[in-house]
Amino acid sequence: MSWRWRLIVLFSIVLFVLVTFSYHAGKRDELSFAEKTLIEAVAGLQNGVTSSARWVADFWTGYFFLVDLRDENRKLHLALEGMRAKVNELREAGLANERLRKFLNFQAIQERPTVGAQVVAWDTSAWFKTVTIDKGSSHFVQEGMPVVTDLGIVGRVIGVSPHYARVLLLIDYNSSIDALVQRNRVRGVLAGRSEKTCTLKYVLKNDTVMPGDIIVTSGMGGVFPKGLPLGTVKRVRKIGHDIFQEVDVDPAVDFSRLEEVMVVLTDRPPF
C-alpha cells in the first residue's frame, strides 16, 4: 500500500474515532482518559498541520513579494542609470557650449575665416607630438595652416587628406614659431621642448625677460596671425658667457585636455 493510501486510511480512522467520541461524549458529563488523550493528540496534529499550512502560505506570499520587490528595484536601478547618463550628456553639452562660446568670441576678433574641428587621435610615439583632427581638404584645410583654441596656438597643419588633417603641436621638437615678449616686444623663436614646456630661443642676455611675461606670435612669416598667445615665461637663466638667455615657457594651451580646435584658413572659402 502506498503512503498516500496509508494517509487516507489513517485520516479516516481518526475521523471515525472523533465522531464516535463526540457522539458518546454528548451523553456524558466527563470524558474518559482515552478520549482526553486522543483529543490532545489529534488537536496537536491539527495545530501542526494548520501552522505548517500557514507557514507555507506566508512563505509563498513573502517569496512573491520579494520577486516583485526585486523586479521593481531593477526597474528603479535602470531608470536611475538612465537619469545619470542623461545628466552626464547634459553636462558634456554644457561644457561643449561653453567652449564653443569662447571659440566664437575668439573668432570674432580674427580677420581670417576659421573652421572648427575635433581631435580624433594622438600620436603616441616619443619622437613626435601630433594630433589628427576631423577636418581635411574637403573643408578647405591645407598644409601650413595654423591651428588654435580660444586660449592660444596649438600648432600647424602638416598633412591633409579629404576628411582629416595631421597637426604638429607647439610642444614638438620640430616646431618653431617667431615670437615676441608682449610686455617689451623682445623677439625670439619659440621651440618645442617636451610634453609640457617650450623654450624661447635667441633672446639676448641684455634683453629683459621675466617670469610671468606673456609670449605672443609676432606675425612674421605669414603663417600665424600676430598677437596670439603662445605661453607664459616660467624661468629665465643667464649662463656664463653665453650671449643668449635660457627662457622656459609654459604653453598657453593645456594639451592634456585638447578636444576641440580651430583651423585658421589662409583663404576665404568659396561659400
Side-chain angles (χ1 to χ4, degrees), residues 44-60:
L45 179 61
Q46 289 176 328
N47 182 55
V49 171
T50 302
S51 299
S52 299
R54 187 182 299 113
W55 181 87
V56 170
D58 292 342
F59 172 80
W60 282 108

Short mmCIF file of all heavy atoms in Angstrom, two decimals, residues 44-60:
data_model
loop_
_atom_site.label_atom_id
_atom_site.label_comp_id
_atom_site.label_asym_id
_atom_site.label_seq_id
_atom_site.Cartn_x
_atom_site.Cartn_y
_atom_site.Cartn_z
N GLY A 44 -3.19 18.40 18.69
CA GLY A 44 -1.80 18.75 18.40
C GLY A 44 -1.45 18.56 16.95
O GLY A 44 -0.75 19.38 16.33
N LEU A 45 -1.95 17.43 16.40
CA LEU A 45 -1.69 17.16 14.98
C LEU A 45 -2.34 18.22 14.10
O LEU A 45 -1.73 18.72 13.16
CB LEU A 45 -2.22 15.78 14.63
CG LEU A 45 -2.06 15.33 13.16
CD1 LEU A 45 -0.59 15.28 12.78
CD2 LEU A 45 -2.71 13.97 12.93
N GLN A 46 -3.59 18.56 14.41
CA GLN A 46 -4.28 19.58 13.64
C GLN A 46 -3.58 20.94 13.74
O GLN A 46 -3.47 21.67 12.76
CB GLN A 46 -5.73 19.71 14.13
CG GLN A 46 -6.61 18.52 13.77
CD GLN A 46 -8.00 18.66 14.36
OE1 GLN A 46 -8.17 19.23 15.44
NE2 GLN A 46 -8.98 18.10 13.66
N ASN A 47 -3.11 21.26 14.94
CA ASN A 47 -2.41 22.53 15.13
C ASN A 47 -1.13 22.57 14.30
O ASN A 47 -0.76 23.59 13.69
CB ASN A 47 -2.10 22.75 16.61
CG ASN A 47 -1.42 24.09 16.85
OD1 ASN A 47 -1.94 25.14 16.46
ND2 ASN A 47 -0.25 24.05 17.48
N GLY A 48 -0.42 21.41 14.26
CA GLY A 48 0.81 21.35 13.47
C GLY A 48 0.53 21.51 11.99
O GLY A 48 1.26 22.22 11.28
N VAL A 49 -0.54 20.83 11.55
CA VAL A 49 -0.90 20.94 10.13
C VAL A 49 -1.29 22.38 9.79
O VAL A 49 -0.90 22.94 8.77
CB VAL A 49 -2.04 19.96 9.79
CG1 VAL A 49 -2.58 20.22 8.38
CG2 VAL A 49 -1.57 18.53 9.92
N THR A 50 -2.07 23.00 10.68
CA THR A 50 -2.51 24.38 10.44
C THR A 50 -1.31 25.34 10.42
O THR A 50 -1.20 26.22 9.57
CB THR A 50 -3.49 24.82 11.53
OG1 THR A 50 -4.61 23.92 11.53
CG2 THR A 50 -3.98 26.24 11.28
N SER A 51 -0.38 25.15 11.37
CA SER A 51 0.81 26.00 11.42
C SER A 51 1.66 25.83 10.16
O SER A 51 2.18 26.80 9.60
CB SER A 51 1.65 25.69 12.66
OG SER A 51 0.89 25.94 13.84
N SER A 52 1.81 24.57 9.74
CA SER A 52 2.59 24.31 8.53
C SER A 52 1.96 24.96 7.32
O SER A 52 2.63 25.56 6.47
CB SER A 52 2.74 22.80 8.31
OG SER A 52 3.42 22.20 9.40
N ALA A 53 0.63 24.82 7.22
CA ALA A 53 -0.07 25.44 6.10
C ALA A 53 0.08 26.96 6.11
O ALA A 53 0.29 27.60 5.08
CB ALA A 53 -1.55 25.04 6.12
N ARG A 54 0.00 27.55 7.33
CA ARG A 54 0.16 29.00 7.44
C ARG A 54 1.59 29.42 7.06
O ARG A 54 1.80 30.43 6.40
CB ARG A 54 -0.16 29.44 8.88
CG ARG A 54 -0.18 30.96 9.03
CD ARG A 54 -0.45 31.37 10.48
NE ARG A 54 -1.75 30.87 10.93
CZ ARG A 54 -1.90 29.95 11.86
NH1 ARG A 54 -0.83 29.41 12.44
NH2 ARG A 54 -3.09 29.56 12.22
N TRP A 55 2.58 28.61 7.48
CA TRP A 55 3.98 28.92 7.14
C TRP A 55 4.21 28.87 5.64
O TRP A 55 4.87 29.72 5.05
CB TRP A 55 4.91 27.93 7.85
CG TRP A 55 6.37 28.20 7.56
CD1 TRP A 55 7.20 29.04 8.20
CD2 TRP A 55 7.14 27.59 6.52
NE1 TRP A 55 8.45 29.01 7.64
CE2 TRP A 55 8.45 28.13 6.59
CE3 TRP A 55 6.85 26.64 5.54
CZ2 TRP A 55 9.47 27.75 5.72
CZ3 TRP A 55 7.87 26.28 4.66
CH2 TRP A 55 9.15 26.82 4.75
N VAL A 56 3.62 27.81 5.01
CA VAL A 56 3.76 27.68 3.56
C VAL A 56 3.13 28.88 2.86
O VAL A 56 3.69 29.46 1.92
CB VAL A 56 3.15 26.36 3.06
CG1 VAL A 56 3.09 26.33 1.53
CG2 VAL A 56 3.96 25.18 3.59
N ALA A 57 1.93 29.27 3.33
CA ALA A 57 1.25 30.42 2.72
C ALA A 57 2.06 31.70 2.89
O ALA A 57 2.22 32.50 1.95
CB ALA A 57 -0.15 30.57 3.34
N ASP A 58 2.58 31.91 4.14
CA ASP A 58 3.40 33.10 4.39
C ASP A 58 4.67 33.08 3.54
O ASP A 58 5.12 34.11 3.04
CB ASP A 58 3.77 33.18 5.88
CG ASP A 58 2.55 33.47 6.74
OD1 ASP A 58 1.53 33.93 6.17
OD2 ASP A 58 2.63 33.24 7.96
N PHE A 59 5.25 31.87 3.39
CA PHE A 59 6.47 31.75 2.60
C PHE A 59 6.23 32.16 1.15
O PHE A 59 6.98 32.94 0.57
CB PHE A 59 7.00 30.31 2.67
CG PHE A 59 8.15 30.07 1.72
CD1 PHE A 59 9.43 30.46 2.05
CD2 PHE A 59 7.93 29.44 0.51
CE1 PHE A 59 10.49 30.24 1.18
CE2 PHE A 59 8.97 29.19 -0.37
CZ PHE A 59 10.26 29.60 -0.04
N TRP A 60 5.16 31.61 0.57
CA TRP A 60 4.89 31.93 -0.83
C TRP A 60 4.52 33.39 -1.01
O TRP A 60 4.92 34.05 -1.98
CB TRP A 60 3.79 31.03 -1.38
CG TRP A 60 4.28 29.66 -1.71
CD1 TRP A 60 4.05 28.51 -1.05
CD2 TRP A 60 5.14 29.32 -2.81
NE1 TRP A 60 4.70 27.46 -1.64
CE2 TRP A 60 5.38 27.94 -2.74
CE3 TRP A 60 5.72 30.06 -3.84
CZ2 TRP A 60 6.18 27.28 -3.66
CZ3 TRP A 60 6.52 29.40 -4.77
CH2 TRP A 60 6.74 28.01 -4.67
#
